[in-house]
Amino acid sequence: MSPPAGEQRRRLAVVLWGVLGVVAVLIEAIYRLGTMAARVLTTHTLTTGQLILLAAWTVAIIYFEGYRGFQQRFSPRVVARALHLAEHRRPLHVALAPLYCMALLHATRRRLIATWALIAGIVALILLVRQMPPPYRAIVDAGVALALAWGTVAMLVDLARGLAGRPLGIAPDVPGEAPTPTEGTEQLARQAVQAGGPYDP
């Protein structure tokens, strides 16, 4: 028996709040880095070596950060954790759903260590990049902005897949539980469709 329509909508709202909250953070970073990089790159004449560096860096960062980091790991895990949270709601976790979905809280010990170590590495990289001269800083920022854009699109695709009940192939890494990677996705998708979700045909 399906839950009441109100419960279905609450579950869908949790998923959207968690995932779209993360997307908003990414879009802000894309806009900030992209505008700064565009301003410098359009006012400086890059040498041939700098153009080659820009192309090589962009390809490398999109592959390693955008594809391998975001598309294969981070993005599907964000959606998997959002779906898990919708089925196992706690007031604090729901309030902090974007942080929950990024595995910054209530995750396995290994996941928490990996996530916070990544955050520390990103902060250190930002401080290092700020010391670079303008053309090279803009080259780095442009590549990162494009990789983040790739990751954002991948996350929205994973959100659509998750709400449609398609497997994400990754576990939510929640402590004390061993759910399957697709736990709750098919049920939530059916409930959201019945409730008149945004992906109705």
Side-chain angles (χ1 to χ4, degrees):
M1 180 177 180
S2 299
E7 172 65 12
Q8 297 167 6
R9 291 191 176 93
R10 281 191 289 272
R11 294 180 182 181
L12 179 60
V14 170
V15 174
L16 295 180
W17 161 226
V19 176
L20 297 184
V22 177
V23 168
V25 172
L26 294 174
I27 290 176
E28 190 278 333
I30 293 167
Y31 175 79
R32 178 169 44 81
L33 293 173
T35 53
M36 289 191 297
R39 184 169 59 250
V40 173
L41 294 176
T42 54
T43 56
H44 285 71
T45 301
L46 300 182
T47 66
T48 301
Q50 289 170 340
L51 289 172
I52 293 173
L53 177 62
L54 174 60
W57 167 250
T58 299
V59 171
I61 195 67
I62 287 178
Y63 175 73
F64 287 105
E65 181 182 348
Y67 174 68
R68 295 192 62 180
F70 271 88
Q71 184 174 331
Q72 293 192 323
R73 297 184 182 91
F74 183 76
S75 295
R77 183 173 291 110
V78 165
V79 176
R81 287 179 63 83
L83 292 166
H84 185 275
L85 178 60
E87 297 293 328
H88 305 82
R89 298 193 299 275
R90 297 181 186 177
L92 179 60
H93 294 165
V94 171
L96 302 176
L99 299 180
Y100 180 99
C101 292
M102 289 189 285
L104 292 171
L105 58 89
H106 195 66
T108 60
R109 178 182 177 86
R110 179 179 179 181
R111 179 54 49 198
L112 284 172
I113 292 174
T115 302
W116 283 103
L118 177 62
I119 295 295
I122 291 173
V123 171
L125 180 61
I126 290 173
L127 295 176
L128 179 63
V129 171
R130 285 181 177 176
Q131 307 305 315
M132 301 173 69
Y136 295 99
R137 177 178 176 180
I139 288 171
V140 173
D141 286 346
V144 172
L146 290 172
L148 292 177
W150 182 294
T152 301
V153 172
M155 189 173 298
L156 293 174
V157 170
D158 285 328
L159 174 60
R161 289 176 57 203
L163 291 177
R166 296 175 59 187
L168 297 170
I170 198 166
D173 286 344
V174 177
E177 299 181 29
T180 60
T182 59
E183 177 185 1
T185 56
E186 295 183 4
Q187 179 182 3
L188 182 59
R190 289 194 300 269
Q191 294 167 359
V193 169
Q194 293 170 1
Y199 45 87
D200 281 350

